[in-house]
Structure formats: structure tokens, C-alpha cells
Amino acid sequence: MKGRLREWVRTPDARWLIAVVALAFVVRLAVVGYVHPDPRDGRYDDSVWYDTAARNLADGHGYVFDPTVWRAPDGSRIYPDTDELSPTALRPPGYPATLAAVYAATGDSLWAARMLNVVLGSATAGLVYLIARRLFDRPAAIGAGAVIALMPSHALFTSVVLAETYYGFLLTGLLAAFIYLLLDRERPHPLLALGIGALTAFTGYVRGEFMAYAAVLLLILLVSKRKRALLPMAAFVAGMALVVTPWVVRNQVQMGEWIVGTTGVGRVLYQGHNPDTDGGASLSAIWTLEAPFLGLDRKESELKTNSEGLRLAREWAFGHPLDELRLFPRRLYLLFGSDEAGVTSVQSNKPWFGTEGADRLVRLSTAVFYGLIAVALAGAPRWFRWRDARFWTLFSLVPFYILTFSVLFIGEPRYHYALYFPIAVFAAPGIVAVWRVTVASFRDVSGGRSFGQVLRTYGTPRP
């Protein structure tokens, strides 16, 4: 085993993989060194939830809602009448549970949480390299990994205690494992399928919408392997059950209901399907939904708000089909209108950057995002492979996320985060083609000499 590892480390693929990860690590270390918002400084955003939930888990209080940490921009408490911790299923538990392990080992260190993001974000660039390497050649893999390593929004998310970086790592790790260990093997081993099924469910408990993607993976496995897929598919489902069952049982014991997902689904659905919706996030819609249940204890209020949100959203959606059609392009615009989420997550209500600096970063992130999409679309003939199951494993993320957040939920730039990875992979062949044409053109005008040879001959340009 050690001998094989030594041989692999000497290969060009290994050296380029290490280079991509190292580049991503340096970029993210620089970002975190300069930008490090504090979820404990009185801000109001999702980082407060993850940090507080993780600290309570690490302290042995369980997965609970803490009303004392939520404050309005003026510093006043949003829930002033209670300090009691209550069991919750409002958000998926995967990231808080992982963060709790870090906090338990480091004494609630935010720097440890940020360094975890640095490591995972860097590893994600390496996983994208591996995915692209299996789909294309080495130059395209280098290009895809470098895109993620240098992508502004992906790097900025590293500095915030949010689930995105962890989710990106799990997502790309899962896709790489699915391609290498299931699709690329003539007879996938059931134990591997069991582990990948468990990883799929855990990834879904970091970002809840991903749980439904398991059906896509199972369909791809079935079409690819046909009869040989039946045993791995059964093992895959069993692996998912190993992760889902403890959460469902916990919810029955502590919440009093069999909850497979979260109690936040009703809130999100209602934001996107109500008479006043514009297709995007709305705190006022949440307050309106919660208002009738404020006199109840927190756990009961959470459960009733969820069921009422599900009911009202369903009734409004089915009762207003023309409004739903009108909202589809609106949600799509909110999902893809810009790539500002990395910047706005840093800003929150306690801005890290000034207005001008934040605007510049938003323009840069959006330009890179749209530029990569343009290159990917222009290079479609180089990567579209109708009969390649590995291609569909990655490409299916695009319609899955478009439909999930433009039809079912709400549009917001943060929710296209998972699409960074297929965009990077599918833009890479076009980037490589442009690079090769540029190098060839330069050699034509320089008499066959490289750029380095020209500089050695004539010296570096003077300003």
C-alpha cells in the first residue's frame, strides 16, 4: 500500500493535485486572515444559528434553540420574554454537529472553525480536480481545480461560519466517490454503495434540499448498471437509512413528531408561496406565519408554524397557478441575478467592508461567475456527453437546483452555491482551449519561442 502511494505521488496527476490544493489553501488562508466576521458580535444571520447550536451541542445541551442570541440591528433582543433552551429541528443538524466536535476539542474557538473551512475549501478544489480528471484530460482538471481555488465567492465563504464550505466539500467528495467507486466499477461493491448512501444522507443533513438528489443518483446508477445496480441500490438506500433513522427517532422523542427533514421547510415554502411574495426571502412573511403561535412554548410554536406554513403554501400554490408561472422567472432571476452571496454573507448587519469595497467585490464575483458560465456554454460541444453516466452525475445538479429554487422554494444567490462545481468543471475545457490558442498564437509571433525565452532575450518590459 505504501509503495503504491509513493508511486502515485510521483505521477503528474498527483503533483498537479497537490499544487491545486496548495493554491486554494494559500488563497483561503489569506482571505480568513483579512476577513473574519464574528457570529458572536450581535449580528443577525445564519452564522449565529450554526455557532450557537454547535456550542450548545458541545456543552451537552443537545440540539436546541437558544432565544438569547437573536438580536435586532439596534441590539434589542428579538425574543425578550424567555431564556429557556428548547429542542429544535428548525435546521439540518449536520454542520452544527461537526462544528460541535471542533468546539469541544478547542474550547469554542472560532479560529478553529475558520481553519476547518480553510482546509475543507482547499480540499474541495482538489476534489473538483479529481472529478474533472475522470471526465476530461489533465489540463482541463487543472483548470477546473484552479477555478475553484481562485473563485472569489467560494473563497469568501471560507471566512464565515456557515454550512456552505462544508457542504461543498461533502458534495464534491460524494460526487467523486460515486463516479470512481460505483460508476467506474463493473460490479460496484455493496459496502461501497452503503457508505456512499450514508454520505448522501449526511450531506442532505448539511443542506436539506440535497436529500432529494439521492433519487437522481439512484436513477443514474440504475441506467448505467441495469440489473447489476439492484444490489448496490439496495445498499445505497440502507446506508441512507442508517443516517436518517437516528434523526427521525430523536425528533419523535424530543419533538413529539416523526420529522424526516426539518421544521424549517414550512417557513421557506410559505416565503415563496403567499399573496405578498416576490419569490425571494422575507422575514416579514416568517413573522406573519409565527404570530398566531407566539403564546405557545417554543417547541410547540415551531411545530405548528411548520405545519401551517406547509398548508398555506400548498393551498396558495395550487389555487394561484398563473401567479406561480409569473413567479418562476422572478425566482430564477433572484437565484442567478448576481453572485453576491459570498460578499453579503460577510457583510450581514455588521459590515466588514465599506459600501464601495463591498460593491467592487460583488461586481468582481458576479463577473467571474457569469464569465465562467459563458465559457462553459460556448464550450458545450467539448463536454456534453449524452451517454456518459459520469457526465450526468455532475450535470444533473444544474436542473435540480434550478427547479428546486425557482419552482419549489425561494430564489437567492446563496442557493446557487452548489453550481460552482459543475460550472467550473464544464468551463475548464473552454479555458484550456483558449489557453492553447493563446500560446500557439504567441509562439507564431515570437518565432516559436516561449514567453520565458522572449523575456530572457529582451528583458522584462519597462513601465
Side-chain angles (χ1 to χ4, degrees), residues 318-347:
F318 285 113
H320 299 81
L322 293 180
D323 287 313
E324 286 292 319
L325 287 175
R326 174 182 57 82
L327 284 166
F328 175 80
R330 174 63 182 166
R331 294 191 193 105
L332 200 60
Y333 171 75
L334 292 172
L335 183 63
F336 289 108
S338 76
D339 192 40
E340 65 179 35
V343 180
T344 54
S345 295
V346 169
Q347 293 294 87

Side-chain angles (χ1 to χ4, degrees), residues 26 70 93 96 159 180 182 202 232 245 276 283 330 351 353 419 460:
V26 170
W70 296 103
S159 67
Y180 277 80
L182 295 187
F202 186 78
T245 302
D276 301 315
L283 283 175
R330 174 63 182 166
F353 300 107
L419 301 187
T460 55

Side-chain angles (χ1 to χ4, degrees), residues 5-6 54 69 82 85 127 130 141 156 176 189 193 200 229 255 278 297 330-331 364 374 382 395 408 448-449 454 461:
L5 182 61
R6 279 197 213 96
V69 299
T82 179
L85 302 177
L127 289 165
L130 291 174
L156 278 170
H189 198 286
T200 301
M255 302 292 294
D278 67 350
D297 68 79
R330 174 63 182 166
R331 294 191 193 105
L364 173 63
R382 293 177 174 269
F395 181 80
L408 191 59
R449 289 172 294 177
V454 171

